[in-house]
Amino acid sequence: MNKYILVTGGAGYIGSHTVVALQKQGFIPVIADDFRNANPVVLEGLRHILGHETIVHRVDICDKPAMEALFEKYAFTGVIHFAAYKAVGESVQKPLAYYQNNLVGLLNILALIEAFEVQNFVFSSSCTVYGEPQGAKEVSEATPKQLPESPYGYTKWMGEQIIADFHRSAPQLKLMNLRYFNPVGAHPSARIGEFPIGKPNNLLPFVTQTAIGKQAHLTVFGNDYPTRDGSCIRDYIHVMDLAEAHVAALTYLMNQNEGLLEAVNIGTGEGTSVLEIVKAFERITGQPLPHVLGPRRAGDVIEIYANATKGQELLGWKARLSIDDAIKDAWAWENYLATL
Ligand code: UFG
């Protein structure tokens, strides 16, 4: 069996860290990315970390003939499908672009894995499929899904539905949806990390950009929620742990003799509030973080965190790194970016 793994969106935030984790385990990642939402600097970072070039093809996953040529060239053992738009707010402004890119891309990849008999497939899903948890804030894979709040959320929800229907028609294939909670942090070398385009939407890039002076202050979106300190609670998962979860998922799939479809939560199992992140950032970096308490952000879930038991039982994976590690690594990455 060859070791070529197609990583769509492999130059992106989670994709690039997964490329490192794959390589470490002896796989040969093949990146397919058109760099519309990735920075070529990541390739230098990968070279620095890995000590050699990574195989990269500049292709749009919606370009089916170009993708087909890759499947012909490499006879992949597995596919990890990251390439997608991911900004919740933008998806409300540009729903057609989100449905076009995220769903057509997925349909192309599924058609190709079937045609080329690639057995192992991992999909980037999201805890957004759970919506606002009713009752317990800790969600397991058995927690009923709810309809999403945004076109972005629908692309993940519909992606899982497409994969479920596809599984019934191609039961010989081994398919896994990884439901990420909130990815944060960067590679400890600070040579790869997240490149937010424009003003960041996500909390931790906004925190580090504020501390370094790119943003005037952080606004805490809401301090009157029914949580322990009034701010929203999320399960922040270090991107290095998340990357390793993909290798664990792929390895698990490769070891199975029969087709299957599974969904697995990828989180730490612990919730942290926005205000706790602010305090932790100040404690760990020694930097003051200018912040103001502002109104709630429309569409925000109040509190959600993972029940991460299935990942441990099925994949033998669990998060090793803490939110403190993630803050330290994200801050080192922000400082590295300032030198470019
Ligand atoms: N927040 C602030 N100020 C900011 C940015 C964020 O207070 O400037 C707060 C948010 O209100 C929220 C928390 O920080 O309470 C986390 O917000 P993020 O935008 O970082 O993350 P979300 O939980 O909103 O979004 C994440 C993923 C999405 C996914 C969603 C599902 O980024 O891809 O979880 O709930 F759809």
Side-chain angles (χ1 to χ4, degrees), residues 155-222:
T155 67
K156 295 301 175 188
W157 195 96
M158 289 161 78
E160 287 205 2
Q161 185 59 44
I162 289 168
I163 291 168
D165 293 337
F166 175 64
H167 171 61
R168 279 190 284 276
S169 75
Q172 74 282 8
L173 301 181
K174 297 176 278 182
L175 314 169
M176 189 170 291
N177 297 323
L178 294 185
R179 294 178 181 159
Y180 313 153
F181 284 69
N182 288 57
V184 284
H187 190 273
S189 69
R191 297 303 288 266
I192 55 172
E194 190 171 8
F195 282 98
I197 292 178
K199 208 174 183 178
N201 296 304
N202 294 117
L203 178 61
L204 209 54
F206 210 101
V207 164
T208 57
Q209 286 200 4
T210 303
I212 211 155
K214 286 186 191 164
Q215 308 292 342
H217 60 260
L218 171 78
T219 302
V220 175
F221 295 141

Side-chain angles (χ1 to χ4, degrees), residues 109-133:
I109 301 292
L110 293 177
L112 289 167
I113 65 168
E114 186 175 35
F116 285 83
E117 298 179 0
V118 179
Q119 298 295 310
N120 308 296
F121 174 80
V122 180
F123 176 60
S124 290
S125 189
S126 166
C127 67
T128 197
V129 299
Y130 298 117
E132 177 78 56

Side-chain angles (χ1 to χ4, degrees), residues 85-88 126-129 131 150 152-153 156 180-184 194 200-207 210 217-222 225 231-236 272-275 277-278 292 295-297 299-302 304:
Y85 290 144
K86 61 170 186 177
V88 175
S126 166
C127 67
T128 197
V129 299
S150 69
Y152 161 79
K156 295 301 175 188
Y180 313 153
F181 284 69
N182 288 57
V184 284
E194 190 171 8
N201 296 304
N202 294 117
L203 178 61
L204 209 54
F206 210 101
V207 164
T210 303
H217 60 260
L218 171 78
T219 302
V220 175
F221 295 141
Y225 285 107
S231 64
C232 290
I233 293 179
R234 296 287 185 278
D235 185 334
Y236 295 93
T272 307
S273 77
V274 177
L275 288 168
I277 295 272
V278 171
V292 297
R296 294 179 175 194
R297 181 172 72 176
D300 259 342
V301 166
I302 300 168
I304 187 168

